[in-house]
Amino acid sequence: MLTALLWGALAASSLLVGAALAAVRPWRPALVGTVLAFGAGALISGVAYDLAEEGLRQSGALPVAVGITVGALSFYLANRAVGRLGGRDRGSGAGLPLAVGALLDGIPEQAVLGIGLASGDGVSIALLVAIFISNVPEAVGSSADMLTGGRSRRGVLALWAAVGLVCVAATVAGFSLADVAGPQLSGGIDGFAAGALLVMLVDEMVPEARSKTGTWAGLVTVLGFSLAAGLSQLT
């Protein structure tokens, strides 16, 4: 249990790293867009190799398909709720959809990390690195937008600390429930994360990166994908 807690904390700490980077100095929109584009590429790789492919290997198509559907609907509905509460582009509500995406993605990702630890497979270095590579740009982009919109540094850091704690708890929960989490459930969890990420990428992250970066967005996205895809082959 302690091992799961420590590894979960290490993985989730990348969220606070990203928030802190955005808080220590102002970030120009073009730089935020570049970071978001890189993170989008890393997330596309994560969806393809660390989530969908692994889920299909464990459980077959049906659990993954169900998980993708549930994850996609979850982000869509949560994003609409964020829009009603604060608006995506108005004031401190800006940046919140990326935080929602990080939460809906982080919970199943880190639950899978905990399940792997409990099963005796050890820590997936590729998954751990993928979490870091994707979390930092999400947190930087979201935090920069919230700070520009008027949210306080303390409030932004507190928000990401809360998201990080939930993700750590998901690692511990995955470790604790590993005995009852068979391959079907594990595949469904992978699918849930993939579905939430895909909707977040198309609706929020890629358009935001393109609007801030311009013509560089596609090239930087490919760079992020290439690096993350290469790292995914380490295991």
Side-chain angles (χ1 to χ4, degrees), residues 106-224:
I107 290 174
E109 268 189 346
Q110 298 212 189
V112 169
L113 186 65
I115 291 170
L117 286 167
S119 66
D121 294 336
V123 177
S124 169
I125 300 300
L127 179 59
L128 194 63
V129 172
I131 291 172
F132 259 90
I133 289 178
S134 60
N135 278 353
V136 173
E138 280 184 282
V140 168
S142 173
S143 301
D145 281 348
M146 285 190 279
L147 290 167
T148 301
R151 188 180 287 266
S152 69
R153 285 182 173 83
R154 180 176 296 179
V156 170
L157 291 173
L159 171 65
W160 285 106
V163 172
L165 285 174
V166 173
C167 290
V168 173
T171 309
V172 176
F175 184 89
S176 302
L177 298 174
D179 289 340
V180 297
Q184 306 259 323
L185 179 58
S186 296
I189 291 172
D190 283 331
F192 181 96
L197 277 174
L198 284 171
V199 178
M200 189 268 288
L201 281 164
V202 174
D203 285 355
E204 298 294 335
M205 202 166 184
V206 171
E208 187 79 3
R210 172 70 180 178
S211 69
K212 285 182 165 65
T213 307
T215 57
W216 286 102
L219 291 175
V220 178
T221 299
V222 172
L223 177 62

